[in-house]
Amino acid sequence: MNNSAAIEVLGLKKSFGENHAVQGVSFNVNQGEIFSLLGPNGAGKTTTISMLSCLLRPNDGDANIMGHSISTDPMGVKSVLGVVPQDLALYEDLTARENLSFWGKMYGLRGSTLKTRVDEVLNVIGLRDRANERVGKYSGGMKRRVNIGVALLHKPKVIYMDEPTVGIDPQSRRNILDSVVLLKNEGMTVLYTTHYMEEAQELSDHIGIMDHGKLIAHGTHDELVKMVGQQTRIDLTLNGNADQVMAAWKETEGVSRVTSDEGLISVLVQDSNLTLPHLFEAATKHSARITSVNISEPNLEAVFLHLTGRALRD
Amino acid sequence: MKAFDIALKDMTRSFRSTFAVIFMFGVPLLVTGMFYFMFGNITDEGGFTLPKTQVVIANLDEGGPKFQVNPKNIPGGKEADSMGDLIVSILQSEDMADLIEITLVPSAETARTAVDNQESQVAIIIPTDFSHQFADVDGKAVIEFYQDPTLTLGPAIMRSILNRFMDGMSGVKIAVNFFVDEAEPEQLFLTGQVVDQYLEVSLAENDDPEVELLDVRNPVDGQKNDAAENQNLLLSIIGPIMGGMMVFYAYYTGTSTAQSILKEEEERTLPRLFTTPTSQATILTGKFLSVFMTVSVQIIVLLIAAHLIFGIEWGGFASVALMAIGIIVSASSFGVFVNSFLKDTKQGGVLFGGILTVTGMMGMIKIFAMNSAIANKMGDTISLLVPQGWAIRGLMQAMGGESFNNVALTVLVSFLWSAAFFAIGVWRFNRRYT
Ligand SMILES: Nc1ncnc2c1ncn2[C@@H]1O[C@H](COP(=O)(O)OP(=O)(O)O)[C@@H](O)[C@H]1O
Ligand SMILES: [Mg+2]
């Protein structure tokens, strides 16, 4: 076993009848890093998380969480694990404090330790002031935060967060993304699933891209982008002499392709910082003005498109 | 310990739900309270008694064809030699003493004055030719009923008793008329025997509520104190009603609390529980414990509340304790059992409403059929086909002061039901989540 791997996934498979939801997924997550599983709805992210939390028994394969096998030592797995389920799993008729207190007990906390931890977590999720209100009265974002708080009580070594930002306001979303980084800084290993490319890009040390039950690529953000050889695209508009300018741009160093579509010119470059000044010079030389510029860095959206031929968000 | 935490959490949730609390405590007490006010009223001391009606009777009947009625057929047991005497002795009988207090006066005028002066609530005047009219085919035997118009309950009870009596007597009248027509004059003394025979048959078959009501009254301690007897009469009516309500709603609570397993599955908190380092056995034990504890609180509160509010005596402490445990265990295991067959709470709404109502009614049939001996026998058999029936049987036995052993035997049967229900329920739930 790899000593630095907090999560080791070994060929997990799960089918629901004819639906092969997860088809042999393997990856490692190092201790103290954030690993994102990125994929559209139905990719098999939740099914994978469920197997890794010992809720679903895999048809095949195994996984070790901090060295505990999900098939032979589920109690060991559960004791090092905090799970933030995709669906809110809270008692709406109990207050936030009562919820945290109850779940803390389920994680084996008692007495003053429990009380202290509940207060600490209430601070982390920013709900200390409203801790004694029933969860049912909370907004969607506040519920999400309690949902996360429950998984933090026992200071787990590993935490799973299954699409924790779905359907909430931008402010709660920011709060949650920030707290994920805080968890990492405290040394927790985070397995994060999302279908938002930006989240995966912002948070992750490593990203696994899932589609149709398979992990189709994984690595760092840069590795993934390089792997598919994507370049930065610069979209520009000109106020005249387009043909001459485009011809000049094609000859410019660092430019690999120039295309135009109804007045919008797209230039593919290796590095926009180096090449962009040359594009302006060439335009000036031909007495044309650049009236707009838009730079698109290579991103996971493009990677996903490249790998599957489909957009990430349908 | 964790199982206990789960149970406490569930109880907090249950008792926080207004809906659940109303059905747990409110409805059974309210229904019983309704019957309470139907059958009794509050005295100044705060206790409840049936009102005793003051009745003044002027029996002017001069008799008709000579007859003698066998005293054993008259509730009071006195001999009577006119129809008027017969009525008076029935009204004066011990069984009626709970309901009415009789004063005999010599004239119709005195009787009416007693009512006018509010010394009595009802005056009954039996005319001089009452027996004659009674024996005459075309005769009209009429009793004058004179009441204080401002009163309702007392005179109504009185009127109802009298009506029942007269209804019964119209059968006698036909028999007597027939006999008088057919008989030779020297055989007329036999009229008494005809009335006698008729009374023997008709009183034995009589299942009218008033008569049964009196039969049901069964003073536990044999006291002959008036107030105590009224109290006993009232309690003999509402005790079983409260008991039936309690059993019915204990089963309701058992079923709806056990349904929290399905509810938690839908709320996703059950799967989340399974991601904590808590074994499935502990989680399910916690859920079952919560059912048991919630029903326990309900039963204990209801037993005490019914005693304090209505003065219901549930029986000896050991019997009541055992009977209560029997109800709690069987209601809880029934809940676990029924829910283990449901897919989700949506199914539960329709299904367990029906199951609970049908089995609950079957179990309580005895209480509703109290007024009729035949229905009572059948009700006994039917009710024992469902666990509620055994719970109610234990309850009635404890209330009726039967021996601890008898109660224990019934509760033992309850436990057997429970063991079977619980075993099946646990097995099914365990399999469901493995
Ligand atoms: N309990 C289940 N029973 C049957 N099919 C399921 C179940 N859970 C998930 N699936 C199916 O498995 C596939 C993967 O689902 P899921 O893991 O939830 O995807 P994601 O979380 O990436 O959106 C989907 O086709 C889904 O319909
Ligand atoms: Mg999902």
Side-chain angles (χ1 to χ4, degrees), chain B residues 309-381:
Chain B
I309 301 173
F310 306 119
I312 294 172
E313 297 296 342
W314 294 110
F317 183 80
S319 295
V320 173
L322 191 65
M323 166 277 277
I325 294 171
I327 296 175
I328 293 164
V329 169
S330 72
S332 312
S333 57
F334 181 82
V336 170
F337 172 77
V338 172
N339 279 289
S340 75
F341 286 89
L342 301 182
K343 236 183 106 202
D344 50 35
T345 55
K346 272 191 218 101
Q347 231 180 29
V350 189
L351 237 171
F352 94 75
I355 289 178
L356 265 188
T357 310
V358 171
T359 54
M361 287 301 166
M362 278 169 77
M364 286 197 293
I365 203 159
K366 220 184 139 177
I367 293 173
F368 294 128
M370 201 161 61
N371 291 331
S372 124
I374 299 163
N376 207 351
K377 273 264 149 31
M378 261 173 54
D380 233 347
T381 317

Side-chain angles (χ1 to χ4, degrees), chain A residues 53 55 57 75 78-79 83-85 87-91 93-95 98 102-103 105-108 110 134 147 150-151, chain B residues 1-3 5-6 9-10 12-14 16 263-264 267-280 283 434:
Chain A
S53 8
L55 273 182
R57 203 164 289 164
M75 273 300 164
K78 290 172 185 181
S79 60
V83 180
V84 181
D87 303 309
L88 291 171
L90 301 168
Y91 300 106
D93 39 14
L94 299 183
T95 67
E98 287 168 336
F102 170 73
W103 290 107
K105 286 177 194 160
M106 292 303 107
Y107 282 111
R110 305 269 146 197
R134 291 191 195 178
N147 200 38
V150 166
Chain B
M1 192 61 192
K2 279 187 187 178
D5 292 326
I6 292 172
K9 178 264 300 168
D10 275 359
T12 311
R13 297 184 75 198
S14 293
R16 202 167 270 185
K263 201 172 154 218
E264 283 215 42
E267 290 173 328
R268 309 304 299 157
T269 46
L270 193 68
R272 185 170 215 166
L273 274 170
F274 287 132
T275 70
T276 67
T278 313
S279 70
Q280 175 169 321
I283 294 169
T434 309

Side-chain angles (χ1 to χ4, degrees), chain B residues 16-79:
Chain B
R16 202 167 270 185
S17 151
T18 318
F19 187 81
V21 168
I22 285 175
F23 277 91
M24 254 185 256
F25 306 112
V27 175
L29 288 172
L30 266 171
V31 171
T32 308
M34 237 170 60
F35 280 94
Y36 218 85
F37 286 100
M38 257 165 69
F39 287 107
N41 65 356
I42 308 171
T43 68
D44 291 337
E45 299 85 45
F48 292 75
T49 48
L50 267 181
K52 206 161 176 176
T53 310
Q54 306 289 326
V55 179
V56 58
I57 301 177
N59 179 18
L60 312 173
D61 193 1
E62 286 166 347
K66 259 297 182 219
F67 62 80
Q68 280 281 310
V69 176
N70 187 335
K72 81 173 161 64
N73 287 327
I74 305 168
K78 272 195 221 142
E79 286 192 26

Side-chain angles (χ1 to χ4, degrees), chain A residues 41-42 44-47 86 162-163 193:
Chain A
N41 282 331
K45 303 183 296 293
T46 299
T47 306
Q86 176 170 356
D162 195 1
E163 307 220 27
T193 82

Side-chain angles (χ1 to χ4, degrees), chain A residues 92-284:
Chain A
E92 300 225 334
D93 39 14
L94 299 183
T95 67
R97 188 182 290 282
E98 287 168 336
N99 264 285
L100 291 172
S101 200
F102 170 73
W103 290 107
K105 286 177 194 160
M106 292 303 107
Y107 282 111
L109 303 177
R110 305 269 146 197
S112 60
T113 323
L114 174 65
K115 216 188 151 315
T116 316
R117 273 310 284 161
V118 168
D119 284 333
E120 284 172 7
V121 167
L122 281 169
N123 279 336
V124 171
I125 59 177
L127 288 173
R128 187 135 194 197
D129 294 342
R130 304 187 58 181
N132 295 326
E133 283 176 42
R134 291 191 195 178
V135 168
K137 299 223 172 93
Y138 282 180
S139 71
M142 291 162 76
K143 287 180 189 171
R144 284 268 160 213
R145 284 187 263 160
V146 181
N147 200 38
I148 292 171
V150 166
L152 307 179
L153 287 159
H154 60 302
K155 296 191 175 169
K157 296 201 168 60
V158 176
I159 183 163
Y160 303 158
M161 303 177 103
D162 195 1
E163 307 220 27
T165 60
V166 168
I168 59 172
D169 58 287
Q171 198 191 333
S172 286
R173 181 174 180 167
R174 192 68 258 157
N175 174 301
I176 288 170
L177 293 180
D178 290 346
S179 63
V180 175
V181 176
L182 284 179
L183 296 179
K184 174 193 161 161
N185 293 343
E186 282 174 21
M188 280 187 203
T189 306
V190 182
L191 176 58
Y192 190 97
T193 82
T194 183
H195 65 268
Y196 296 123
M197 174 209 64
E198 307 88 330
E199 284 184 4
Q201 187 168 337
E202 177 187 334
L203 293 173
S204 321
D205 297 300
H206 286 92
I207 298 163
I209 299 181
M210 269 196 97
D211 190 39
H212 291 316
K214 291 189 179 123
L215 195 69
I216 53 179
H218 69 106
T220 64
H221 177 259
D222 289 349
E223 280 168 358
L224 286 170
V225 167
K226 286 211 182 81
M227 197 170 71
V228 296
Q230 288 293 320
Q231 294 173 304
T232 302
R233 192 177 79 226
I234 306 174
D235 295 319
L236 311 103
T237 50
L238 287 168
N239 71 346
N241 288 340
D243 291 346
Q244 287 167 320
V245 175
M246 278 172 66
W249 283 351
K250 275 179 186 155
E251 303 308 315
T252 307
E253 201 190 328
V255 171
S256 54
R257 206 173 70 191
V258 179
T259 54
S260 93
D261 181 22
E262 291 181 10
L264 185 69
I265 302 160
S266 294
V267 182
L268 284 181
V269 302
Q270 290 301 329
D271 185 329
S272 58
N273 270 10
L274 294 179
T275 310
L276 204 50
H278 299 307
L279 299 186
F280 276 92
E281 279 169 25
T284 310

